[in-house]
Amino acid sequence: MRISDRLAAKQTFSFEIFPPKGDLPIDQALKVASELAADDPDWISVTFSAGGSGNSANTVSVSGAIERDTGTTALAHLTCLGSSREAVDLYLDALEEQGVTNVLALRGDRAPGKEVIDFAYASDLIAYIKDTRPEFCVGAACYPEGHFECDDFETSLEHLKIKQDAGADFFVTQLFFDNELYYRFREGCARWRIKTPVVCGIMPFTSVKQIQRMAFTCGATIPSRVIRKIVACGDDEDAQLEAGIEYACDQLVDLAENGVDGIHIYTMNRPEIGRAARRVLVGCNYLEA
Ligand code: FAD
């Protein structure tokens, strides 16, 4: 199933998981995927060495198993910084062999040893896949607060328009904790004539440490009401997780009421997060029971 077809037909609900690192067995990720599949998502996406985790080799096998074993559409991530066209071809061949034809085309973060070979930006990768593999549906990343390397918000939108023009079929947002920032971004997209569907990515906070990491790695604004909520939990980690899920669920209800194209949950491989999101989205009639 092409994700773009699904987005054209309905408001979507989807999950992200990450595969295990290196040679670790993939069974745990598959168990998570099958539990998440029970919540009937439109697709499950699988990250590619996110945060330098070195788990890219397992992205293909986990994505293939999602399609085969759970009957759910898989969206395989792919980064291109430091990759040649040949390496991208091999990756796409491997995906096709596994029956996976939805890919999230990313540049990836700059890191030592990751120089530009054939692709400088995600838009180069998008154009390459659209040109050489028309059978693939190609998604891309977008940033409601602008990308942290980009000097200003309008330039970030200009770069997003380049991704649309390169052929991106849909966008998935970076996580955000303040829906108003997303609505401002949506207005910006309209100004730049960006009409490609945008799926909102929501990640519940799970601990003080995780929220600090998010602020530094992706530049997400942490509203004071998030800080108040987490501080009220003291050192109780279960209470912090519960508060994070509750806050994310409030965000979901608000997004559902404001008519978004799709909702994507960064589950951090925790099926209980997916279940809570489904429950609240059924409660507000975004999803059918
Ligand atoms: P690009 O769109 O290429 O943008 C990178 C920077 O270059 C931006 O600052 C942009 O404004 C600028 N730029 C773009 N085009 C031009 C141009 N023509 N001229 C000048 N500047 C330009 N990372 C992983 O490693 N693995 C993952 O699985 C992963 N999954 C992700 C999923 C989502 C939904 C999101 C939002 C991010 C994900 N990331 C992942 C992180 C991503 O790799 C980083 O945010 C990375 O820094 C940028 O990737 P991009 O594809 O947005 O790059």
Side-chain angles (χ1 to χ4, degrees), residues 16 46-52 77 79 104-110 120-123 141-143 147-150 155-156 159 162-163 172-174 266:
E16 179 191 276
V46 186
T47 63
F48 182 96
S49 203
H77 295 202
T79 65
L104 193 74
L106 302 147
R107 185 199 68 178
D109 285 328
R110 291 186 201 283
Y121 299 110
S123 51
C142 66
Y143 302 87
H147 185 259
F148 62 89
E149 279 173 31
C150 202
T155 311
S156 202
H159 294 159
I162 295 174
K163 293 205 243 195
V172 183
T173 74
Q174 175 79 278
Y266 295 109

Side-chain angles (χ1 to χ4, degrees), residues 23-38:
D23 292 335
L24 287 176
I26 64 170
D27 305 16
Q28 189 56 30
L30 296 184
K31 187 168 174 293
V32 169
S34 71
E35 283 189 48
L36 287 170

Side-chain angles (χ1 to χ4, degrees), residues 53-106:
S53 59
N55 58 3
S56 55
N58 287 327
T59 303
V60 172
S61 44
V62 171
S63 301
I66 288 172
E67 291 269 355
R68 213 173 34 250
D69 300 347
T70 74
T72 304
T73 296
L75 169 63
H77 295 202
L78 167 64
T79 65
C80 61
L81 204 56
S83 285
S84 61
R85 286 192 193 96
E86 291 73 20
V88 166
D89 283 339
L90 285 175
Y91 183 82
L92 297 174
D93 287 346
L95 284 181
E96 277 202 86
E97 268 170 35
Q98 300 274 341
V100 179
T101 51
N102 290 282
V103 69
L104 193 74
L106 302 147

